[in-house]
Amino acid sequence: MQIIARHLKGAGCRLALCGAVLACGAAAAQPPADSDSDLDALLAEQSPEPAPAETSTAPESTTAEASPPPATAEAAPTVAETLPVQELPTTEEPARKEAVRDRSRRIEEIIVTATKRESSIRDIPASIAAFDGQKLEAEGKVGLLDYLEETPGVTADSIAPGVIRVSMRGISVDTAPASGQPPPTGIFIGDTSFADPYVNGIVPDLSAFDLSSVEVLKGPQGTLFGGTALSGAIRFVPQAPVFGEWAARAFTQYTDYAHGDNAFTSGVAINAPLYSDRLALRAVYVKRGYPGLYDNTREPVQKDIDSGGGEQLRGILSWQPLEALNIKLTHIQQDFSGDNVSSNADNPERYEKGRSVLPQPVQNDFTLDSLELAYDFSQVRAVSLTSLSTKHLFFSSDLTSAIAGSPPAGTPPEATYFGSVLDDSEAIAQEFRVQSSGDGSFQWLAGIYLYNYKVFFEQLLDSTSVRDGVAAGEDIDALLAAVGLGVDLASLANESSLLYAVADVKARERALFFDATQTFWKDFDLSLGARLYSTTVVGGFSGSGVLARAQNNGMNINNEDSKLTEKGVNPKISATWRFGEENSLYALATRGFRFGGIQSVPSSPTNGVPEVYKSDTIWNYELGVRTSWLDGSLQADLTGFYIDYKNPQIPQTTQGVPLGYTDNIGAAVSQGFEASLLWRPFQIMTVSLAGGLTDARTTVPFTASNGDEVPAGTQLPGAAKTQVSSSVGLFLPLGEIIVAPRLDYVYVGKGYGDINHNYEINNFGILNGGIGFTSKAFKVKPLLALNVANIFGITRVKGGAPGNALNGTRNDSYLLNAPRTFTARFSLDF
């Protein structure tokens, strides 16, 4: 729900403290070769003693329980990828040694589950990038912002941990992370959606520690994932338990911001076989520290005010009571809190602000509990996934400057205005599907999906002095109530506030879906899929206070009985031709949608607010080629796309007293290409280069609610015309020590923060570097990784809310990229 106008949003911003640490190379590229094999071959030549009599080769595709985490689709290998190391025999024939060297230069296959079945990433006719969890760890990555923009076509911004906005291929009309508009990009843990169909809540941002991978799926994913993945999806894949194996991991990481604070993050993971090879538990605990960065320059000056911390707990229990039956229980919870998480700077070049008198606390948390049952018949696999997810968000903002302009020096707290938001949501999802198993020429899956979501949203805008009076009078209020003369001071205060708003809304989706692929002539695949869906949003909004009555003819707002029902079909069709051993050409057409909704502002004949806003939809067309050269040591890929965007959901504001609402206005297209190259010229070196061009523009002119004309051809907010990501990495065995240096460069082109182009964002490149050390001389596998992100300390605007306060004075605020960031990480694998 969007209650305040865009120029008030900046006052509610909080800092993204994840801190960009090292860039990890080209996200569209494919993974390096099996670095274990590389090191085996190199170390075998130096080994003074005979080694074991078997070689290490790349694993075949296996289930997550039995296999190591998939390798990253990124560029240079890291020290983490060199563990464990098995020495090769030193008594091999020269020809055999040469064969091992040749094989070790090959780029390893990556297995992902982005299509709800295990598939090689290069066999899927779509644009998918996969980040390996251990590689992210070795590079000091702690959050989504640290690596998402290394994927061409993807931009992101955050104002606090858990408050993130992601744009894929330019499909975005509101880049503010604190916007009430639901995001266009889906967020999933496994196959469980964490997006919000009605009002934007927090975004899970799992620590990379002990993650199997993070998958970035570009383009609509509505056929398999429904109405919360309009422009794409991000999937966290936790590491699954391994049967019959005791293992433990631990790490601690120090993060230090230039011109800022420092903090430690630590964690431990345990894999415990509880019963034979049938029952296993994997438990992970992470305590995260977020260093402060922004200074409040008001007297008394406060440094690094936006520091915070949180904890994360993951537990996965896997049980195989029968050979054909697997049961998996998952529990994940994560929280964050900060006493003054304020991330909007007054100056586009410095991490400073001086307009806030009040502290701005933030608290958020989420949980996931799921039960997955999988039963394998002879040729069919049946899967049932039941999940319950909850999210909680509270923050309070100093709105004085947004309402009355910058407060003068010495302004007391009681002479200020504030805004607070409480957002509690819960979602229950049930998916049941059956799918083919085996390697036949016909592969298929079909299923049903039931999703029920509810949210309670409360917002208050008021004078601090009024609320202090309410708090002071609570005891008197209670005493009068006890003798039957009570007056509800809080209710009276809500009536006299600027705005007190409550939304109690339920949303649901019911869907049938299928996806089938037939192989012809061994080298041509034809795929067809569809999702038949029905969505309903019911409930509404009630509001009191000055701003609410100003929009409703002097009356309080009550539209709690609104309802919107929509039905549709999301088709997908693709064709893939494989030529040569490892080359392919594919064409794809797929449709995506996002939930429509009900307004948070009453509709009247004079204010132009529609009663509801409908789903927006996109058709995505792709043509891609995947090629492999030089015996598999070089991969070169190219993807072109064209997106037709219909009925965009655009944030608008009412005339006069500005309250936010959503409307379907205009249309847009996004077109461009993404290219990547990954090369292993030597066993010890990997080079990657990826880039993309995204041209996302309106095609129909319209008049914004503030009267601004938005002509056809206007670049959509959040879109970066050009993006480049490159990386060079080495891994060098020096005696018992393995050294892995690397250097990365990431560039994000110029974009705009809003549809009216009131301010520019991005248009900067950063250089990152790091070096890792490990040794095979110990039973435990130590790793020391030293990384520096943004080596030259480039500072640029990534978002914000330039505009005027209600009294007409300027009230610009800016979100800035992270400064030079140093991380030092030490870990042990037992």
Side-chain angles (χ1 to χ4, degrees):
M1 176 175 54
Q2 300 164 340
I3 303 298
I4 320 172
R6 172 171 295 276
H7 61 265
L8 295 181
K9 291 180 182 176
C13 292
R14 288 143 326 266
L15 174 64
L17 294 172
C18 298
V21 273
L22 300 197
C24 65
Q30 297 306 310
D34 184 352
S35 52
D36 288 356
S37 298
D38 278 0
L39 290 167
D40 290 346
L42 290 169
L43 292 173
E45 298 174 357
Q46 305 175 19
S47 177
E49 299 178 359
E54 61 181 11
T55 61
S56 172
T57 58
E60 298 295 327
S61 172
T62 57
T63 62
E65 284 77 12
S67 65
T72 177
E74 302 311 284
T78 67
V79 174
E81 293 174 302
T82 70
L83 301 176
V85 176
Q86 296 177 335
E87 293 184 346
L88 292 176
T90 60
T91 58
E92 294 174 327
E93 296 289 338
R96 173 62 175 160
K97 288 186 178 181
E98 187 63 32
V100 171
R101 291 193 192 98
D102 290 344
R103 184 176 66 249
S104 65
R105 288 183 56 207
R106 290 181 59 82
I107 297 173
E108 183 182 73
E109 182 182 43
I110 302 181
I111 303 300
V112 296
T113 56
T115 57
K116 297 185 183 288
R117 59 165 66 96
E118 288 188 341
S119 303
S120 169
I121 196 170
R122 295 181 68 77
D123 289 341
I124 299 174
S127 295
I128 301 175
F131 296 87
D132 176 66
Q134 289 194 7
K135 186 175 191 297
L136 294 177
E137 291 181 44
E139 295 178 355
K141 315 290 188 182
V142 294
L144 277 173
L145 288 188
D146 297 342
Y147 51 89
L148 269 187
E149 288 184 340
E150 296 163 15
T151 306
V154 181
T155 60
D157 198 12
S158 173
I159 57 172
V163 186
I164 303 172
R165 178 74 56 156
V166 180
S167 171
M168 291 192 182
R169 291 179 170 173
I171 301 301
S172 176
V173 292
D174 191 347
T175 63
S179 169
Q181 187 180 38
T185 303
I187 303 292
F188 295 80
I189 298 179
D191 288 337
T192 299
S193 172
F194 272 84
D196 295 275
Y198 175 68
V199 64
N200 186 29
I202 67 168
V203 173
D205 188 4
L206 295 184
S207 167
F209 178 62
D210 208 54
L211 275 184
S212 176
S213 64
V214 182
E215 300 171 357
V216 180
L217 290 64
K218 288 181 282 187
Q221 306 297 317
T223 301
L224 293 181
F225 293 105
T228 56
L230 173 71
S231 61
I234 298 169
R235 295 182 69 238
F236 294 98
V237 184
Q239 188 67 274
V242 179
F243 292 131
E245 177 182 306
W246 280 99
R249 310 182 65 226
F251 85 99
T252 187
Q253 177 169 309
Y254 171 80
T255 301
D256 183 62
Y257 282 147
H259 313 297
D261 200 0
N262 56 72
F264 281 91
T265 294
S266 302
V268 62
I270 298 175
N271 189 93
L274 302 182
Y275 176 73
S276 183
D277 290 339
R278 296 289 185 179
L279 183 66
L281 171 69
R282 196 171 191 97
V284 180
Y285 172 77
V286 178
K287 185 174 180 62
R288 297 174 71 170
Y290 299 84
L293 175 60
Y294 286 77
D295 299 334
N296 190 336
T297 57
R298 296 184 67 85
E299 294 293 339
V301 174
Q302 297 173 292
K303 295 285 188 178
D304 311 321
I305 61 175
D306 49 323
S307 61
E311 297 177 305
Q312 182 182 128
L313 177 66
R314 284 181 243 154
I316 303 177
L317 181 69
S318 188
W319 180 32
Q320 193 171 6
L322 303 173
E323 191 66 31
L325 175 63
N326 188 272
I327 301 172
K328 185 165 70 174
L329 285 167
T330 299
H331 174 76
I332 300 176
Q333 65 184 59
Q334 180 173 307
D335 60 48
F336 167 81
S337 64
D339 295 333
N340 196 3
V341 185
S342 174
S343 63
N344 47 318
D346 300 340
N347 189 298
E349 299 178 353
R350 295 193 297 271
Y351 303 93
E352 296 176 350
K353 62 174 302 171
R355 294 197 293 255
S356 295
V357 178
L358 302 174
Q360 304 187 86
V362 174
Q363 298 174 357
N364 62 57
D365 62 73
F366 73 86
T367 65
L368 167 65
D369 292 284
S370 68
L371 169 64
E372 181 179 275
L373 307 174
Y375 193 90
D376 290 303
F377 299 91
S378 58
Q379 296 295 322
V380 175
R381 180 178 176 86
V383 180
S384 171
L385 176 63
T386 307
S387 60
L388 168 65
S389 58
T390 67
K391 296 198 289 186
H392 167 80
L393 169 64
F394 170 80
F395 66 83
S396 181
S397 303
D398 187 335
L399 297 182
T400 307
S401 61
I403 294 174
S406 182
T411 299
E414 55 269 19
T416 60
Y417 297 91
F418 76 97
S420 65
V421 167
L422 173 67
D423 184 345
D424 284 322
S425 66
E426 177 183 283
I428 299 175
Q430 173 63 56
E431 177 176 302
F432 178 79
R433 69 179 187 269
V434 290
Q435 59 194 74
S436 59
S437 57
D439 300 322
S441 62
F442 182 61
Q443 298 290 318
W444 57 272
L445 67 80
I448 61 173
Y449 180 72
L450 309 174
Y451 176 76
N452 291 283
Y453 167 92
K454 61 181 181 180
V455 61
F456 176 79
F457 184 89
E458 182 179 50
Q459 183 169 19
L460 173 65
L461 310 182
D462 207 354
S463 164
T464 304
S465 60
V466 171
R467 287 294 143 177
D468 288 345
V470 172
E474 285 180 351
D475 292 340
I476 299 175
D477 188 23
L479 178 63
L480 294 174
V483 296
L485 300 175
V487 177
D488 190 343
L489 296 181
S491 295
L492 290 177
N494 291 341
E495 290 287 336
S496 62
S497 68
L498 288 175
L499 177 68
Y500 176 72
V502 174
D504 193 353
V505 175
K506 296 179 175 63
R508 73 179 188 186
E509 180 183 349
R510 303 288 185 265
L512 301 173
F513 62 90
F514 75 92
D515 189 15
T517 301
Q518 175 68 55
T519 300
F520 300 92
W521 311 294
K522 296 184 179 181
D523 55 14
F524 182 79
D525 293 343
L526 182 63
S527 299
L528 180 65
R531 188 182 192 92
L532 288 74
Y533 67 89
S534 171
T535 62
T536 302
V537 182
V538 296
F541 165 89
S542 62
S544 57
V546 176
L547 298 181
R549 288 191 292 270
Q551 287 295 329
N552 197 35
N553 299 318
M555 305 292 291
N556 287 339
I557 299 171
N558 189 343
N559 61 344
E560 296 176 327
D561 298 321
S562 300
K563 183 176 182 179
L564 172 68
T565 298
E566 296 180 293
K567 298 180 180 180
V569 178
N570 259 12
K572 181 181 73 171
I573 184 169
S574 68
T576 304
W577 173 47
R578 292 181 295 277
F579 57 98
E581 288 189 12
E582 300 178 79
N583 305 321
S584 64
L585 175 70
Y586 78 85
L588 168 71
T590 184
R591 181 182 184 270
F593 76 104
R594 175 170 48 175
F595 273 79
I598 53 183
Q599 299 288 2
S600 57
V601 174
S603 174
S604 72
T606 58
N607 67 4
V609 178
E611 293 185 3
V612 298
Y613 57 93
K614 297 181 179 181
S615 293
D616 47 358
T617 62
I618 65 176
W619 268 101
N620 177 79
Y621 306 95
E622 281 185 38
L623 185 64
V625 61
R626 308 284 182 256
T627 64
S628 179
W629 308 82
L630 303 178
D631 295 324
S633 65
L634 173 66
Q635 290 179 350
D637 300 338
L638 179 66
T639 302
F641 63 88
Y642 179 88
I643 296 175
D644 188 10
Y645 188 16
K646 299 294 187 185
N647 297 316
Q649 294 178 7
I650 294 181
Q652 300 278 71
T653 56
T654 56
Q655 297 295 321
V657 178
L659 298 181
Y661 66 97
T662 301
D663 200 359
N664 302 100
I665 297 179
V669 298
S670 178
Q671 56 190 330
F673 69 87
E674 297 148 2
S676 67
L677 182 147
L678 182 62
W679 183 31
R680 300 205 63 186
F682 311 105
Q683 292 172 292
I684 62 171
M685 175 183 285
T686 300
V687 179
S688 74
L689 176 64
L693 171 66
T694 301
D695 186 17
R697 298 180 178 276
T698 59
T699 57
V700 176
F702 65 90
T703 302
S705 56
N706 63 359
D708 290 346
E709 296 293 330
V710 180
T714 300
Q715 182 176 331
L716 293 183
K721 284 189 175 181
T722 56
Q723 287 181 260
V724 176
S725 179
S726 60
S727 179
V728 177
L730 300 171
F731 51 105
L732 307 170
L734 303 177
E736 296 289 350
I737 303 297
I738 302 167
V739 182
R742 62 185 185 79
L743 197 64
D744 309 330
Y745 177 77
V746 178
Y747 172 77
V748 182
K750 184 179 74 172
Y752 297 93
D754 63 353
I755 192 69
N756 302 109
H757 290 193
N758 289 318
Y759 61 105
E760 295 182 1
I761 60 174
N762 297 321
N763 193 26
F764 67 95
I766 59 174
L767 184 69
N768 316 290
I771 187 168
F773 305 88
T774 190
S775 174
K776 55 177 296 186
F778 306 96
K779 291 185 178 180
V780 297
K781 303 177 182 69
L783 168 65
L784 174 63
L786 307 175
N787 298 290
V788 183
N790 194 2
I791 292 174
F792 295 112
I794 304 298
T795 302
R796 292 291 187 272
V797 175
K798 287 180 62 64
N804 295 326
L806 292 183
N807 68 354
T809 61
R810 294 295 298 176
N811 187 47
D812 298 340
S813 63
Y814 305 93
L815 299 175
L816 308 178
N817 68 301
R820 182 184 302 111
T821 306
F822 171 77
T823 63
R825 185 186 188 98
F826 181 72
S827 65
L828 294 172
D829 283 17
F830 301 89

